[in-house]
Amino acid sequence: MEQDEQTTGSSSDSISFGDMLPSAGVVGLIFSIITFAIGLAVGYQQIGSEPSGAIFSPTMLSGTVICLISLLGGTLAVWHFVKEVNPYIKLGQGAALGFITGAIMVILTAVYGEIWNFIDPEYTDKLVEATIANVEAMDLPDAQRQTMVDSMASTVRQQSSFLSQVLWGIPITGILNLLSGMVGVKIFAKKEDQETF
Amino acid sequence: MKRLSNPFLYLLVLICVSFVFLASFGEILWGFSSVGERHWAEKMFFGVCHQLPDRTYIIEGAMMAVNTRCFGVFLGMLAGWVLIPFAGSYAEGRRWPVTFLLLAIVLQIVDYLGNLVELWHNTNHSRALLGALFGIALSVSVSDLFIKRKT
């Protein structure tokens, strides 16, 4: 049965870029919505709350969660591909699928950011103000506090620039998902020389 | 040392991982950015790292582009990748690399949560060390896929 599938087009040799796009698109779409929604919810929570001066601000927590979720993209895209398109995927193809998934996540997140700028044009400024207020309430030496203010404000502002997000975001997110895509191949893909009885 | 089954892919990923590792040094390796402008390396990592200055290695005022845990992860990834030609044969057909990866992930979460609820206080060095463990585990988990099988 499996041999039949391989000879009728299910072999990994027949996998093209177009075959990968649905899996990369679905996972990229879902993950970008999740990460953007988390970032937005936490952003508004920070805007609406009094500055606590806590190092573990909601923004930082969301950054860590978003990072972990982003890294899973490549692995899950390979899982989706193996389940829905072709169980035989080569290591290099899994790596490429992971990279594409990472790139799609970055682009879509940047697109949502642009859309949100139309919906709430003051969001970025309000978030910068709230972030600065929180850092200023921290019990830190003046020099360190100023460095943190500059760093965080700059980070928040950069997140609102579409081109900056896409150009600077794709290489690293892509490479990390490339690796997680290979882990996906290791865990989920069937080997073409694997015999089943 | 065994022959690699995907030498081109191995080399490509080695270049990518080396680039990520070198870029993560930020101002320490690549110099300071212009006044009022964010460093290019910090721009690259802002989507995957919170880049808090007090959780980042700083040498003579020059700051890395990523926090200590992320730096550890990238260092471990590179070290693990270099080890693949040697580790692959020990990983071939065995489950320990994936178990090792899962264990490393669990350790990150436990360390993070323990620090968050103030059960303990982790340090820059401890975060870098645990990050490196995860990075090595990530690379080693795919090592057997790069080893040529006997036919």
Side-chain angles (χ1 to χ4, degrees):
Chain A
M1 176 69 181
E2 279 178 13
Q3 256 184 341
D4 287 343
E5 281 175 357
Q6 283 188 50
T7 51
T8 53
S10 285
S11 158
S12 62
D13 293 334
S14 62
I15 295 172
S16 66
F17 178 75
D19 295 329
M20 292 181 187
L21 270 183
S23 297
V26 166
V27 174
L29 182 71
I30 293 170
F31 275 48
S32 58
I33 288 173
I34 292 171
T35 54
F36 186 75
I38 292 172
L40 208 58
V42 166
Y44 277 111
Q45 199 259 333
Q46 175 139 346
I47 289 167
S49 60
E50 288 294 313
S52 65
I55 289 274
F56 281 102
S57 67
T59 310
M60 184 200 146
L61 288 175
S62 76
T64 311
V65 173
I66 287 168
C67 169
L68 285 173
I69 292 173
S70 302
L71 286 182
L72 278 175
T75 307
L76 286 185
V78 171
W79 169 77
H80 183 273
F81 186 89
V82 164
K83 201 165 166 274
E84 301 292 335
V85 183
N86 191 333
Y88 303 99
I89 182 169
K90 285 181 180 164
L91 191 59
Q93 291 164 337
L97 179 54
F99 188 91
I100 296 165
T101 307
I104 288 176
M105 280 195 288
V106 171
I107 293 167
L108 287 179
T109 307
V111 169
Y112 304 149
E114 286 295 297
I115 294 169
W116 203 257
N117 275 342
F118 280 109
I119 295 169
D120 184 0
E122 290 174 359
Y123 172 73
T124 308
D125 288 334
K126 284 191 276 187
L127 186 58
V128 170
E129 280 170 26
T131 306
I132 290 172
N134 188 58
V135 176
E136 282 177 343
M138 287 178 186
D139 186 23
L140 292 170
D142 285 347
Q144 196 178 349
R145 186 183 296 133
Q146 192 53 47
T147 313
M148 278 186 86
V149 165
D150 292 344
S151 169
M152 287 177 145
S154 172
T155 301
V156 173
R157 287 199 190 284
Q158 189 188 338
Q159 282 171 337
S160 67
S161 159
F162 177 81
L163 205 62
S164 178
Q165 270 195 80
V166 170
L167 289 179
W168 294 108
I170 286 178
I172 300 299
T173 308
I175 289 171
L176 294 177
N177 277 286
L178 177 151
L179 278 164
S180 80
M182 288 195 290
V183 174
V185 173
K186 159 91 178 179
I187 297 170
F188 302 116
K190 277 191 178 175
K191 293 171 187 69
E192 291 197 61
D193 57 356
Q194 190 177 314
E195 286 185 52
T196 51
F197 298 97
Chain B
M1 191 162 110
K2 290 206 172 184
R3 284 187 66 191
L4 294 172
S5 63
N6 292 294
F8 177 72
L9 182 63
Y10 177 81
L11 201 64
L12 180 75
V13 178
L14 181 65
I15 292 167
C16 287
V17 173
S18 302
F19 167 73
V20 172
F21 174 67
L22 291 173
S24 74
F25 277 87
E27 292 171 347
I28 291 175
L29 197 62
W30 306 105
F32 292 91
S33 56
S34 320
V35 178
E37 198 177 310
R38 200 163 164 76
H39 198 280
W40 65 265
E42 288 174 22
K43 286 180 188 175
M44 291 197 94
F45 290 99
F46 85 93
V48 293
C49 178
H50 57 59
Q51 301 171 318
L52 287 176
D54 66 322
R55 288 168 171 259
T56 303
Y57 285 129
I58 299 173
I59 299 172
E60 292 175 1
M63 203 169 78
M64 276 194 163
V66 294
N67 66 32
T68 50
R69 194 185 299 273
C70 287
F71 173 69
V73 172
F74 301 145
L75 171 68
M77 262 162 47
L78 179 59
W81 205 258
V82 171
L83 283 175
I84 279 181
F86 307 96
S89 52
Y90 296 102
E92 201 177 351
R94 296 192 174 99
R95 282 189 172 182
W96 71 262
V98 174
T99 312
F100 179 34
L101 177 61
L102 290 175
L103 190 71
I105 292 170
V106 170
L107 266 176
Q108 302 297 318
I109 296 168
V110 168
D111 178 56
Y112 179 81
L113 291 177
N115 189 66
L116 185 66
V117 299
E118 297 186 348
L119 277 177
W120 58 76
H121 290 285
N122 54 28
T123 64
N124 277 343
H125 293 330
S126 74
R127 287 190 287 270
L129 195 71
L130 281 180
L133 197 70
F134 171 64
I136 290 173
L138 187 62
S139 291
V140 169
S141 69
V142 295
S143 60
D144 66 326
L145 300 178
F146 283 92
I147 296 301
K148 245 189 181 127
R149 287 155 197 273
K150 287 173 192 166
T151 50

